[in-house]
Amino acid sequence: MASEPVSSSVIWDNLWNLGDRHIHWDDGSRLIFNILRCQQVRQPKRTLEVGCGTGKISARLHKEGFDISLMDFSAQALRLSKQVWLASDYEDEPLRIMASMFGIPIKDNTYDLVWSAGVLEHWPRASQKLAVSEMVRVCRPGGKIVQIVPYSKSIPYRLAKWYKETRGTWPFGPEKPLSSMLPLLDLNQVESVSQRSVGFLDQFRWLATFPGGKLSAALVRALQKRFWGLNLMLPGWLLILTATKQ
Protein backbone atom coordinates (compact mmCIF):
# COMPACT_ATOMS: atom_id res chain seq x y z
CA MET A 1 0.00 0.00 0.00
CA ALA A 2 1.31 3.47 -0.89
CA SER A 3 2.08 5.69 2.07
CA GLU A 4 -0.06 8.73 2.73
CA PRO A 5 1.47 12.08 1.72
CA VAL A 6 2.45 14.58 4.39
CA SER A 7 3.36 18.16 3.48
CA SER A 8 5.58 20.75 5.19
CA SER A 9 5.96 24.51 5.08
CA VAL A 10 9.73 23.97 4.61
CA ILE A 11 9.11 22.15 1.30
CA TRP A 12 6.96 25.00 0.06
CA ASP A 13 9.21 27.79 1.29
CA ASN A 14 12.02 26.14 -0.70
CA LEU A 15 9.82 25.81 -3.77
CA TRP A 16 8.60 29.41 -3.68
CA ASN A 17 12.19 30.59 -3.19
CA LEU A 18 12.58 29.80 -6.89
CA GLY A 19 10.60 32.99 -7.43
CA ASP A 20 9.87 34.05 -11.00
CA ARG A 21 9.75 30.46 -12.22
CA HIS A 22 6.33 30.12 -10.58
CA ILE A 23 4.95 33.60 -11.20
CA HIS A 24 4.59 33.37 -14.98
CA TRP A 25 1.16 32.64 -16.45
CA ASP A 26 0.90 29.17 -18.03
CA ASP A 27 -1.76 26.91 -19.54
CA GLY A 28 -2.47 25.28 -16.19
CA SER A 29 -3.13 28.68 -14.61
CA ARG A 30 -5.38 29.63 -17.50
CA LEU A 31 -7.37 26.43 -17.09
CA ILE A 32 -7.98 26.91 -13.36
CA PHE A 33 -8.79 30.59 -13.87
CA ASN A 34 -11.47 29.77 -16.42
CA ILE A 35 -12.99 27.12 -14.15
CA LEU A 36 -13.28 29.63 -11.32
CA ARG A 37 -14.50 32.67 -13.19
CA CYS A 38 -17.36 30.62 -14.64
CA GLN A 39 -18.68 29.83 -11.16
CA GLN A 40 -21.98 31.49 -10.34
CA VAL A 41 -20.73 33.42 -7.29
CA ARG A 42 -23.03 35.95 -5.72
CA GLN A 43 -21.99 39.48 -4.84
CA PRO A 44 -19.81 40.81 -3.32
CA LYS A 45 -17.81 37.76 -4.46
CA ARG A 46 -15.73 37.59 -1.30
CA THR A 47 -13.19 34.91 -2.18
CA LEU A 48 -10.65 32.99 -0.11
CA GLU A 49 -7.87 31.05 -1.83
CA VAL A 50 -6.51 28.42 0.54
CA GLY A 51 -2.89 27.45 -0.11
CA CYS A 52 -2.53 30.44 -2.41
CA GLY A 53 1.13 30.09 -3.39
CA THR A 54 1.91 33.07 -5.61
CA GLY A 55 -1.76 34.07 -5.79
CA LYS A 56 -1.46 34.72 -9.52
CA ILE A 57 -4.84 33.16 -10.35
CA SER A 58 -6.59 35.14 -7.62
CA ALA A 59 -4.93 38.30 -8.96
CA ARG A 60 -6.60 37.66 -12.33
CA LEU A 61 -9.91 36.93 -10.62
CA HIS A 62 -9.70 40.34 -8.93
CA LYS A 63 -9.87 41.92 -12.38
CA GLU A 64 -13.16 40.05 -12.84
CA GLY A 65 -14.62 41.68 -9.74
CA PHE A 66 -13.72 39.10 -7.07
CA ASP A 67 -12.84 40.46 -3.60
CA ILE A 68 -9.74 38.44 -2.75
CA SER A 69 -8.23 37.04 0.44
CA LEU A 70 -5.07 34.91 0.25
CA MET A 71 -4.05 32.28 2.79
CA ASP A 72 -0.94 30.09 2.98
CA PHE A 73 1.26 28.57 5.68
CA SER A 74 4.39 29.50 3.71
CA ALA A 75 5.79 32.96 4.43
CA GLN A 76 7.68 32.91 1.14
CA ALA A 77 4.46 32.23 -0.79
CA LEU A 78 2.79 35.28 0.73
CA ARG A 79 5.86 37.40 -0.10
CA LEU A 80 5.62 36.27 -3.72
CA SER A 81 1.92 37.10 -3.76
CA LYS A 82 2.86 40.70 -2.94
CA GLN A 83 5.09 40.80 -6.02
CA VAL A 84 2.27 39.45 -8.19
CA TRP A 85 -0.16 42.01 -6.80
CA LEU A 86 2.32 44.85 -7.29
CA ALA A 87 2.87 43.81 -10.92
CA SER A 88 -0.90 43.88 -11.46
CA ASP A 89 -1.02 47.62 -10.59
CA TYR A 90 -3.95 47.29 -8.21
CA GLU A 91 -4.58 50.18 -5.85
CA ASP A 92 -5.98 47.91 -3.15
CA GLU A 93 -4.35 44.97 -1.38
CA PRO A 94 -5.89 41.58 -0.57
CA LEU A 95 -6.18 40.31 2.98
CA ARG A 96 -3.20 38.00 3.48
CA ILE A 97 -3.40 35.31 6.14
CA MET A 98 -0.47 33.16 7.22
CA ALA A 99 -2.19 30.15 8.71
CA SER A 100 -2.90 26.44 8.41
CA MET A 101 -5.99 25.28 6.56
CA PHE A 102 -6.68 22.94 9.48
CA GLY A 103 -7.65 25.92 11.65
CA ILE A 104 -8.61 28.84 9.42
CA PRO A 105 -8.63 32.00 11.60
CA ILE A 106 -11.80 33.37 10.01
CA LYS A 107 -15.29 33.43 11.48
CA ASP A 108 -18.05 31.20 10.14
CA ASN A 109 -20.04 32.11 7.02
CA THR A 110 -17.66 34.79 5.71
CA TYR A 111 -16.88 34.02 2.05
CA ASP A 112 -18.94 33.60 -1.13
CA LEU A 113 -16.25 31.40 -2.73
CA VAL A 114 -13.62 29.28 -0.99
CA TRP A 115 -11.22 27.40 -3.24
CA SER A 116 -7.91 25.61 -3.41
CA ALA A 117 -5.88 24.07 -6.22
CA GLY A 118 -2.99 21.66 -5.85
CA VAL A 119 -3.28 21.50 -2.06
CA LEU A 120 -5.28 18.54 -0.72
CA GLU A 121 -3.23 15.89 -2.52
CA HIS A 122 -0.25 16.62 -0.26
CA TRP A 123 -2.03 15.48 2.89
CA PRO A 124 -3.43 12.22 4.34
CA ARG A 125 -7.16 11.52 4.10
CA ALA A 126 -8.02 12.59 7.66
CA SER A 127 -6.25 15.92 7.13
CA GLN A 128 -8.03 16.41 3.79
CA LYS A 129 -11.41 15.96 5.49
CA LEU A 130 -10.50 18.44 8.22
CA ALA A 131 -9.32 21.02 5.67
CA VAL A 132 -12.47 20.70 3.57
CA SER A 133 -14.66 21.00 6.67
CA GLU A 134 -12.84 24.22 7.58
CA MET A 135 -13.38 25.60 4.07
CA VAL A 136 -17.08 24.76 4.29
CA ARG A 137 -17.28 26.43 7.71
CA VAL A 138 -15.96 29.80 6.51
CA CYS A 139 -18.14 29.73 3.38
CA ARG A 140 -21.51 31.49 3.52
CA PRO A 141 -24.76 29.56 3.01
CA GLY A 142 -25.34 29.55 -0.73
CA GLY A 143 -21.64 30.09 -1.35
CA LYS A 144 -19.37 27.87 -3.43
CA ILE A 145 -16.56 25.53 -2.37
CA VAL A 146 -14.25 24.51 -5.22
CA GLN A 147 -11.41 22.01 -4.84
CA ILE A 148 -8.96 21.16 -7.62
CA VAL A 149 -6.43 18.31 -7.39
CA PRO A 150 -4.45 16.08 -9.77
CA TYR A 151 -6.56 13.23 -11.17
CA SER A 152 -5.25 9.73 -10.54
CA LYS A 153 -6.45 8.45 -13.93
CA SER A 154 -4.30 10.84 -15.98
CA ILE A 155 -1.57 8.66 -17.48
CA PRO A 156 0.73 11.49 -18.71
CA TYR A 157 0.72 13.14 -15.28
CA ARG A 158 1.31 9.84 -13.44
CA LEU A 159 4.17 8.86 -15.76
CA ALA A 160 5.87 12.24 -15.41
CA LYS A 161 5.51 12.17 -11.63
CA TRP A 162 6.97 8.65 -11.44
CA TYR A 163 9.85 9.59 -13.75
CA LYS A 164 10.83 12.64 -11.68
CA GLU A 165 10.39 10.88 -8.36
CA THR A 166 12.70 8.02 -9.39
CA ARG A 167 15.34 10.60 -10.29
CA GLY A 168 14.85 12.72 -7.19
CA THR A 169 13.74 15.77 -9.19
CA TRP A 170 10.05 15.97 -8.22
CA PRO A 171 9.79 19.44 -6.62
CA PHE A 172 6.35 19.32 -4.99
CA GLY A 173 6.95 17.04 -2.04
CA PRO A 174 4.76 14.02 -1.20
CA GLU A 175 1.72 13.99 -3.47
CA LYS A 176 -1.02 11.44 -4.03
CA PRO A 177 -3.52 12.17 -6.83
CA LEU A 178 -7.18 11.50 -6.13
CA SER A 179 -9.84 9.54 -8.00
CA SER A 180 -12.71 11.18 -6.07
CA MET A 181 -13.16 13.96 -3.52
CA LEU A 182 -16.75 13.13 -2.62
CA PRO A 183 -15.72 11.17 0.52
CA LEU A 184 -14.11 14.35 1.88
CA LEU A 185 -17.44 16.17 2.17
CA ASP A 186 -20.08 16.09 4.87
CA LEU A 187 -23.06 15.88 2.52
CA ASN A 188 -25.34 17.22 5.25
CA GLN A 189 -23.61 20.60 4.93
CA VAL A 190 -23.66 21.00 1.16
CA GLU A 191 -25.93 20.70 -1.85
CA SER A 192 -25.55 20.73 -5.63
CA VAL A 193 -22.34 18.71 -5.47
CA SER A 194 -20.60 17.95 -8.77
CA GLN A 195 -17.28 16.39 -9.72
CA ARG A 196 -15.55 16.16 -13.08
CA SER A 197 -12.16 15.93 -14.70
CA VAL A 198 -10.72 18.58 -17.06
CA GLY A 199 -7.42 19.43 -18.73
CA PHE A 200 -7.37 16.95 -21.60
CA LEU A 201 -4.78 18.71 -23.78
CA ASP A 202 -2.98 20.32 -20.87
CA GLN A 203 -2.11 16.91 -19.40
CA PHE A 204 0.20 16.17 -22.33
CA ARG A 205 2.56 19.00 -21.39
CA TRP A 206 3.75 16.66 -18.63
CA LEU A 207 5.44 14.63 -21.40
CA ALA A 208 8.01 17.43 -21.66
CA THR A 209 9.52 15.80 -18.56
CA PHE A 210 10.99 12.98 -20.64
CA PRO A 211 14.02 13.02 -22.98
CA GLY A 212 13.06 14.74 -26.22
CA GLY A 213 10.29 16.53 -24.39
CA LYS A 214 10.86 19.87 -26.10
CA LEU A 215 9.27 18.52 -29.28
CA SER A 216 6.19 17.20 -27.49
CA ALA A 217 5.89 20.47 -25.56
CA ALA A 218 5.92 22.45 -28.81
CA LEU A 219 3.25 20.17 -30.28
CA VAL A 220 1.04 20.56 -27.21
CA ARG A 221 1.40 24.35 -27.34
CA ALA A 222 0.31 24.34 -30.98
CA LEU A 223 -2.71 22.16 -30.21
CA GLN A 224 -3.61 24.32 -27.21
CA LYS A 225 -3.74 27.41 -29.38
CA ARG A 226 -6.19 25.80 -31.80
CA PHE A 227 -8.24 23.45 -29.64
CA TRP A 228 -7.97 24.90 -26.12
CA GLY A 229 -11.67 24.36 -25.45
CA LEU A 230 -11.08 20.61 -25.30
CA ASN A 231 -9.49 21.18 -21.91
CA LEU A 232 -12.89 22.03 -20.45
CA MET A 233 -14.78 19.39 -22.42
CA LEU A 234 -12.77 16.19 -21.94
CA PRO A 235 -11.17 14.46 -18.92
CA GLY A 236 -7.54 15.29 -18.24
CA TRP A 237 -5.12 15.65 -15.37
CA LEU A 238 -7.25 17.74 -12.99
CA LEU A 239 -10.21 16.69 -10.86
CA ILE A 240 -12.69 19.41 -9.80
CA LEU A 241 -15.17 19.24 -6.96
CA THR A 242 -17.79 21.97 -6.72
CA ALA A 243 -20.33 22.23 -3.92
CA THR A 244 -22.81 24.82 -2.64
CA LYS A 245 -23.11 25.28 1.10
CA GLN A 246 -26.58 24.76 2.51
Side-chain angles (χ1 to χ4, degrees):
M1 174 184 276
S3 61
E4 291 277 17
V6 178
S7 198
S8 162
S9 61
V10 175
I11 293 173
W12 295 100
D13 279 338
N14 290 337
L15 181 73
W16 300 129
N17 274 330
L18 296 174
D20 292 346
R21 174 179 172 183
H22 297 286
I23 288 177
H24 78 279
W25 193 253
D26 55 21
D27 287 318
S29 304
R30 178 187 178 191
L31 178 58
I32 294 170
F33 169 72
N34 277 279
I35 291 165
L36 292 166
R37 75 168 179 174
C38 291
Q39 299 295 321
Q40 297 298 313
V41 180
R42 65 188 184 181
Q43 296 294 338
K45 294 187 177 182
R46 294 196 67 189
T47 299
L48 174 65
E49 181 182 359
V50 176
C52 65
T54 66
K56 60 186 176 183
I57 296 170
S58 284
R60 293 283 181 105
L61 288 172
H62 190 54
K63 290 183 179 180
E64 302 285 325
F66 290 73
D67 180 8
I68 300 297
S69 296
L70 301 173
M71 192 184 92
D72 207 294
F73 72 166
S74 165
Q76 181 60 19
L78 294 175
R79 282 192 287 270
L80 276 178
S81 76
K82 291 182 180 180
Q83 295 181 29
V84 170
W85 212 261
L86 182 64
S88 301
D89 290 326
Y90 294 135
E91 294 183 359
D92 57 343
E93 284 283 332
L95 173 65
R96 291 186 177 88
I97 308 161
M98 185 173 174
S100 164
M101 63 182 176
F102 307 122
I104 299 175
I106 297 292
K107 67 181 182 179
D108 298 358
N109 307 323
T110 296
Y111 289 99
D112 303 299
L113 171 64
V114 184
W115 72 279
S116 75
V119 175
L120 293 178
E121 67 273 16
H122 300 289
W123 298 93
R125 179 56 61 94
S127 298
Q128 291 171 351
K129 287 184 175 181
L130 177 56
V132 171
S133 69
E134 276 290 277
M135 292 186 231
V136 172
R137 179 183 65 79
V138 301
C139 187
R140 294 171 59 189
K144 294 290 183 68
I145 301 99
V146 179
Q147 302 297 312
I148 304 171
V149 299
Y151 188 36
S152 64
K153 295 184 180 180
S154 170
I155 301 303
Y157 157 77
R158 295 293 296 267
L159 286 174
K161 181 174 178 290
W162 167 82
Y163 183 80
K164 286 199 167 191
E165 285 178 337
T166 57
R167 284 155 179 77
T169 58
W170 180 255
F172 304 113
E175 178 175 308
K176 187 176 182 179
L178 280 71
S179 60
S180 175
M181 287 184 279
L182 294 177
L184 305 181
L185 280 171
D186 180 349
L187 296 180
N188 294 318
Q189 295 182 321
V190 297
E191 58 188 11
S192 305
V193 179
S194 66
Q195 182 174 252
R196 66 188 180 108
S197 175
V198 298
F200 175 73
L201 284 177
D202 194 53
Q203 70 182 328
F204 294 106
R205 67 185 170 89
W206 286 99
L207 298 179
T209 298
F210 298 98
K214 289 185 178 181
L215 179 60
S216 63
L219 177 59
V220 170
R221 284 195 298 270
L223 290 171
Q224 292 263 45
K225 288 181 180 179
R226 186 163 186 179
F227 304 109
W228 191 88
L230 291 177
N231 283 311
L232 296 174
M233 296 169 59
L234 298 175
W237 77 279
L238 292 177
L239 183 67
I240 305 167
L241 176 73
T242 304
T244 302
K245 183 174 178 179
Q246 285 187 352

